[in-house]
Amino acid sequence: MLKWLVRLFIVMMLGAVLGVASLIGIYFYIKPQLPDVTALRDVKLATPMRVYSRDGELIAQYGEIRRIPLRLDEIPQPMIDAVLATEDARFYEHPGIDPIGIIRAASVWAVSGHARQGASTITQQVARNFFLSNEKTIIRKIKEVFLAWRIEQNLSKDEILELYLNKIPLGYRSFGIGAAAQVYFGKEVKDLGLDEIAIIAGLPKAPSMLNPIRSPERAFARRNVVLGRMLETGKITQAQFDEASKMPIKARFHGAEVTLHAPYLGEMVRQKMVEQFGEDAYTMGLHVYTTVSAERQRAARQALLDGVFAYDMRHGYRGPTAQLWKAGETAWDYEQIVAHLGKQPTYDPLMAAVVTKLGDRSATLVLKNGKEAELGWNGIKWARSFITDDRQSYAPKSARDVLKVGAQIWVREEGEELLLAQIPDVNAALVAMNPKNGALEAVVGGFSFELSKFNRVDQARRQIGSNIKPFLYATALEHGYTLASLINDAPINQWDPSKGPMWQPKNSPAVYDGPTPLRLGLAKSKNVMSVRLMRAIGLDTYIDGLTRFGFPRDFISPHESLALGAAEFTPLEVVRGYSVLANGGFLVTPYFIDKVTDSLENTLYQANPAIACNNCEQQTASEQSTLPEPTVDGAAQDGTQTHLAPTIAPHTISAQSAFLITDTLSTAIWGGNGWRGTGWRAARDLKRHDISGKTGTTNESRDAWFSGYTPDIVATSWIGFDNHQRGLGRAEFGGGAAQPIWIDFMKVALKKLPEHKMPVPEGIMTVKIDSETGLLATSGGTDEYFKEGTEPTRYAAPSSDGNQVYGGDNPDVEGPVSTDDIF
């Protein structure tokens, strides 16, 4: 017997030696294939790119992987207890591989025939998630075991657990418990209840099958298993178990908590980041801080929506989206209606609804959110039937004139009331900019990003109409003209017998005042004066002048219609051009990214725009049209911010010319004796004397514009159809269609800014002139600004009836000036 025991012992020892030798051999065979686990100390978890306003409100999140990395000390203890009880109860006791767990899992398998318990430790799961695939092979499992052992030699238990809790896939593209808490419950981890903690802790086993959105029944059962294990390990009491295990499942999908609606700006940022960082932009945890303020962005969007809806209501109702059932047919029940509406899109602020009952002046609706609501007469009475863009039917007298039971319609809220609505055919854009440095303050590229991702702010090239005239007049001032220079406001009639009738530009309205000073010509937007002025300075001179305002030469056609705005520019280019007038003559470069940081808030990029500054020491201007390489820019290598010396933007027109045009565009707002400026609505609604602006309307009212500014902010609004051939209607112009959008935005943008008129620059003087002749007044007269050296030196001589006329006895006047000499 003893001999057999000795032999058995020897065999066991040999087996043990062979086993150890085999393990050592396998280890050295596999060792060259094993990655360096010390890389886990510097691991960068893939996190999405997040875009913010300058005041920290979330605009957008990009990247399929959702992750919110957390430090272990930021994770509540019940969450840690739940995960450990479920995944690896002996985590803090074993060396990365748990022999007891392996034996227990094997015994359960032997008894039941099923693998009811997993044998992988948390450390093994970290090894698999960071370094290995999920293929089920023996060599992968062996690698996993050796990697787990090496990880335990290099990282502390807390470091391993923190990596696991941030890396584990938990369904719906959420990785880590921080993202799962947001995706399933819309909460931070610290705010989860015990039942919600148990749901998330139960997900690692099979996130696609056990998640509470796709399979609430399975999630319910799995949650109670987790709670049971927490009870077994003494981490919760029986009372806590009883309460949490009875809670209903209340999970639903939560996207990123976007708090500021600016999707067109978000897309601009996304494109710029991908251009700079490639596809890594979606996973490297970039935090992009834009230049827009949340308050102004909200105001811009609301102003655009109000302007579009106002236009749409003026032109009539185009009818319901669909008729779900007709008179005499069986009406749909509530469940059918809600199921149908649930499939319809939402174009905020529009909501789909179905009419279930009609009164004489009201309608009962079921809304997409399942609620019943009353649509009153105030929300219906606007709906004259649309015939054409210029014609509508008579106003309705009853709700039955507009709607039928079973109609699927759109509604929107205005205050406490519901209004009948429709998806607008028309579209619009608004962009605002700081004229001192080019920072965009608000960007709204259209009515709905969901309907159309085409960004009309920087992609839509449209004719700008009379919005171009200030640049023509400014160019003339740069070439010796003054605001008192007379241009003949008279019809232009050209006839070439060999070619027939030629171009005949007309004023709108068709009123002609004869010889008129430049100030009034611009303030009243006289078309024929613009054409004559352009001919006087020369077409090439005018084109060169437009490029000084940043307009691209490639989109400027050398035709006389250029004087009236036939060129096609984007709203962003237009707002940049007006900023030159607002800031004293500097061509600043628009930018919308202020700062980019990594996930740890280390600065990768800091904007250093060229600025407008009349009193600053001149430096070489640097136009930042591209972002720097993805290295630390504007920051020292240790992450501390360095101070970048500001540069001065190119000074492309004189401060004097910018001031003179700005003062004239103030006249376009406030008007003069007995007449209103084209922008009179701004004077009425804003009641500020530091605003300047200009309307613009193109042929057949295809485009309506308003651009205006103070020294602190400049904004451009546009409204029109994406179909370039469709006009807004005969009664629609820049002042009535586009300007209200600009005004509503400026009401908010200017409310915290005191009145701040542009200061009179050096080199400007004031003299009294005779408004009819542009010469010095001998008595009375009107104050007018001039660049020093350009003021008139001749006096208007009084006529026999006491009125002043050209020439007279003044020695500076050689003789009477004929109107034929006036352009």
Side-chain angles (χ1 to χ4, degrees):
M1 184 69 178
L2 182 61
K3 182 185 293 186
W4 282 104
L5 289 175
V6 170
R7 288 177 179 175
L8 180 61
F9 177 75
I10 292 172
V11 169
M12 290 175 65
M13 290 299 294
L14 286 172
V17 170
L18 287 173
V20 171
S22 298
L23 283 173
I24 294 172
I26 292 171
Y27 174 73
F28 279 102
Y29 172 76
I30 291 178
K31 183 179 179 181
Q33 305 173 38
L34 297 179
D36 181 7
V37 298
T38 60
L40 291 175
R41 290 192 175 278
D42 301 312
V43 69
K44 292 183 178 179
L45 296 170
T47 53
M49 172 173 63
R50 294 168 74 86
V51 181
Y52 299 92
S53 66
R54 73 179 181 218
D55 34 14
E57 294 208 30
L58 183 63
I59 291 173
Q61 177 173 294
Y62 298 101
E64 291 189 357
I65 291 177
R66 299 181 178 93
R67 180 178 280 117
I68 304 173
L70 299 169
R71 298 190 311 273
L72 195 62
D73 60 10
E74 295 176 312
I75 301 172
Q77 191 61 44
M79 175 62 81
I80 296 173
D81 293 340
V83 171
L84 293 180
T86 308
E87 293 297 316
D88 192 351
R90 289 172 34 80
F91 173 71
Y92 279 98
E93 300 168 19
H94 61 64
I97 305 98
D98 187 5
I100 295 175
I102 293 172
I103 293 171
R104 183 173 60 246
S107 62
V108 170
W109 174 81
V111 172
S112 66
H114 301 285
R116 296 181 181 273
Q117 293 188 7
S120 290
T121 65
I122 282 177
T123 312
Q124 286 175 265
Q125 292 183 59
V126 168
R128 182 166 65 246
N129 284 323
F130 279 95
F131 298 116
L132 302 172
S133 69
N134 286 321
E135 61 177 343
K136 298 183 181 300
T137 62
I138 294 176
I139 193 68
R140 196 273 293 164
K141 194 67 177 178
I142 293 172
K143 288 180 179 179
E144 180 184 299
V145 169
F146 285 130
L147 277 174
W149 180 79
R150 292 177 67 174
I151 289 171
E152 292 270 350
Q153 309 309 305
N154 286 275
L155 275 73
S156 70
K157 288 287 189 179
D158 285 352
E159 289 173 323
I160 295 169
L161 183 58
E162 182 178 296
L163 284 171
Y164 174 79
L165 293 174
N166 283 308
K167 176 71 174 179
I168 192 73
L170 296 173
Y172 278 86
R173 296 175 180 169
S174 62
F175 290 78
I177 59 172
Q182 171 61 39
V183 166
Y184 294 115
F185 303 110
K187 298 180 179 179
E188 295 184 32
V189 175
K190 64 182 178 63
D191 297 323
L192 294 174
L194 179 59
D195 61 309
E196 295 165 331
I197 284 173
I199 288 173
I200 291 176
L203 287 172
K205 180 179 180 181
S208 62
M209 293 180 60
L210 299 174
N211 81 71
I213 297 175
R214 179 175 298 176
S215 183
E217 297 83 5
R218 289 174 177 163
F220 184 93
R222 177 63 175 169
R223 178 197 67 187
N224 289 353
V225 168
V226 174
L227 291 170
R229 290 183 183 168
M230 293 181 75
L231 181 62
E232 290 173 12
T233 55
K235 299 303 181 182
I236 59 173
T237 65
Q238 184 66 48
Q240 288 176 306
F241 172 85
D242 292 341
E243 180 183 2
S245 62
K246 294 175 183 176
M247 295 291 289
I249 301 291
K250 293 183 178 179
R252 65 178 178 83
F253 179 79
H254 296 77
E257 289 191 86
V258 172
T259 58
L260 180 62
H261 191 278
Y264 291 99
L265 175 65
E267 177 61 15
M268 291 165 71
V269 171
R270 186 197 67 80
Q271 292 178 15
K272 183 67 74 172
M273 291 296 97
V274 172
E275 176 185 311
Q276 185 62 46
F277 297 103
E279 294 299 310
D280 289 345
Y282 297 123
T283 58
M284 59 192 294
L286 296 177
H287 291 181
V288 186
Y289 294 90
T290 64
T291 58
V292 305
S293 76
E295 182 180 47
R296 288 179 173 176
Q297 179 64 29
R298 287 193 179 96
R301 179 173 182 251
Q302 191 60 54
L304 183 139
L305 291 177
D306 290 345
V308 167
F309 286 135
Y311 172 89
D312 205 54
M313 293 171 73
R314 287 197 297 273
H315 289 263
Y317 185 54
R318 296 183 295 278
T321 303
Q323 187 68 37
L324 303 184
W325 69 89
K326 298 177 182 178
E329 297 179 348
T330 302
W332 289 17
D333 61 27
Y334 174 81
E335 287 72 20
Q336 283 180 291
I337 293 171
V338 171
H340 173 78
L341 290 175
K343 300 174 184 177
Q344 306 308 307
T346 296
Y347 304 118
D348 187 49
L350 299 182
M351 183 187 302
V354 173
V355 180
T356 57
K357 188 187 300 182
L358 271 176
D360 185 45
R361 294 203 162 192
S362 67
T364 302
L365 313 176
V366 173
L367 306 179
K368 183 179 178 179
N369 59 16
K371 295 180 180 179
E372 275 199 344
E374 192 79 6
L375 179 61
W377 183 241
N378 283 338
I380 301 173
K381 65 184 181 182
W382 69 269
R384 297 176 298 160
S385 294
F386 172 89
I387 299 174
T388 70
D389 289 318
D390 290 310
R391 292 181 58 212
Q392 301 83 42
S393 69
Y394 293 109
K397 296 180 179 179
S398 164
R400 294 182 178 88
D401 294 339
V402 180
L403 301 171
K404 291 182 173 63
V405 172
Q408 179 188 326
I409 61 174
W410 295 98
V411 294
R412 62 185 177 93
E413 290 182 340
E414 188 172 271
E416 299 296 321
E417 284 190 313
L418 274 184
L419 293 183
L420 177 65
Q422 57 195 349
I423 297 174
D425 283 346
V426 76
N427 230 302
L430 188 145
V431 57
M433 193 172 87
N434 182 338
K436 298 172 184 175
N437 61 10
L440 297 190
E441 296 281 344
V443 176
V444 188
F447 166 73
S448 169
F449 188 75
E450 289 76 17
L451 272 172
S452 170
K453 294 176 174 54
F454 180 66
N455 188 347
R456 293 151 193 87
V457 164
D458 70 344
Q459 293 178 310
R461 294 201 166 275
R462 308 293 298 228
Q463 290 189 351
I464 69 170
S466 293
N467 242 214
I468 207 169
K469 291 176 182 175
F471 311 116
L472 167 62
Y473 281 69
T475 302
L477 294 182
E478 292 284 274
H479 288 80
Y481 283 79
T482 74
L483 295 182
S485 297
L486 298 180
I487 301 292
N488 195 15
D489 180 29
I492 296 175
N493 296 298
Q494 292 178 311
W495 179 267
D496 185 333
S498 64
K499 297 180 181 179
M502 301 293 285
W503 182 48
Q504 293 180 305
K506 295 179 174 61
N507 285 344
S508 179
V511 175
Y512 301 89
D513 298 328
T516 302
L518 260 62
R519 176 184 286 275
L520 293 185
L522 179 55
K524 293 184 176 182
S525 198
K526 296 284 192 176
N527 286 340
V528 295
M529 287 183 64
S530 296
V531 175
R532 293 180 189 276
L533 181 61
M534 185 198 65
R535 290 175 176 175
I537 65 173
L539 180 57
D540 290 341
T541 299
Y542 176 33
I543 292 174
D544 288 341
L546 287 173
T547 64
R548 290 179 169 271
F549 292 91
F551 295 110
R553 191 179 292 270
D554 290 347
F555 294 95
I556 302 173
S557 299
H559 301 293
E560 286 198 329
S561 57
L562 187 62
L564 306 182
E568 295 184 343
F569 301 129
T570 67
L572 185 59
E573 289 167 348
V574 173
V575 84
R576 185 191 191 193
Y578 273 87
S579 72
V580 177
L581 301 173
N583 65 29
F586 294 89
L587 182 61
V588 295
T589 298
Y591 74 103
F592 50 88
I593 296 175
D594 179 60
K595 183 172 70 171
V596 181
T597 70
D598 62 18
S599 58
L600 299 177
E601 295 296 334
N602 296 313
T603 300
L604 303 179
Y605 166 78
Q606 178 66 61
N608 183 36
I611 63 172
C613 186
N614 275 303
N615 300 317
C616 298
E617 183 179 347
Q618 292 297 315
Q619 301 176 51
T620 303
S622 63
E623 301 214 7
Q624 297 188 4
S625 57
T626 59
L627 289 172
E629 292 300 314
T631 56
V632 178
D633 179 72
Q637 293 299 319
D638 62 3
T640 58
Q641 189 65 35
T642 60
H643 295 286
L644 299 175
T647 55
I648 309 303
H651 206 173
T652 57
I653 69 167
S654 68
Q656 293 77 24
S657 291
F659 169 80
L660 294 172
I661 294 298
T662 294
D663 191 67
T664 302
L665 293 181
S666 179
T667 305
I669 299 289
W670 286 96
N673 295 326
W675 59 275
R676 295 194 301 187
T678 57
W680 60 270
R681 292 174 180 83
R684 178 195 65 188
D685 296 341
L686 296 177
K687 298 179 175 61
R688 294 175 63 117
H689 287 79
D690 60 345
I691 52 176
S692 302
K694 184 71 186 74
T695 55
T697 310
T698 62
N699 285 344
E700 299 178 17
S701 295
R702 292 192 180 101
D703 303 275
W705 297 78
F706 189 83
S707 297
Y709 57 92
T710 72
D712 299 305
I713 187 168
V714 54
T716 288
S717 60
W718 165 87
I719 186 168
F721 292 98
D722 289 334
N723 175 1
H724 287 227
Q725 302 306 310
R726 184 175 176 183
L728 292 166
R730 288 192 299 267
E732 300 289 351
F733 303 95
Q739 191 186 19
I741 297 173
W742 183 90
I743 290 171
D744 286 349
F745 168 71
M746 282 296 198
K747 285 178 181 176
V748 177
L750 296 176
K751 70 180 181 180
K752 295 178 182 177
L753 295 174
E755 273 199 37
H756 174 208
K757 293 192 72 171
M758 180 180 288
V760 180
E762 293 183 4
I764 290 289
M765 63 181 300
T766 305
V767 299
K768 288 190 178 295
I769 63 165
D770 170 46
S771 58
E772 292 186 2
T773 65
L775 302 178
L776 294 172
T778 55
S779 62
T782 303
D783 287 334
E784 184 58 274
Y785 289 111
F786 292 88
K787 297 180 187 179
E788 290 182 357
T790 67
E791 69 277 9
T793 58
R794 296 183 297 174
Y795 283 86
S799 65
S800 59
D801 60 4
N803 293 321
Q804 298 180 38
V805 297
Y806 300 104
D809 297 329
N810 190 286
D812 291 329
V813 178
E814 296 179 358
V817 180
S818 167
T819 55
D820 292 337
D821 297 327
I822 301 171
F823 297 105

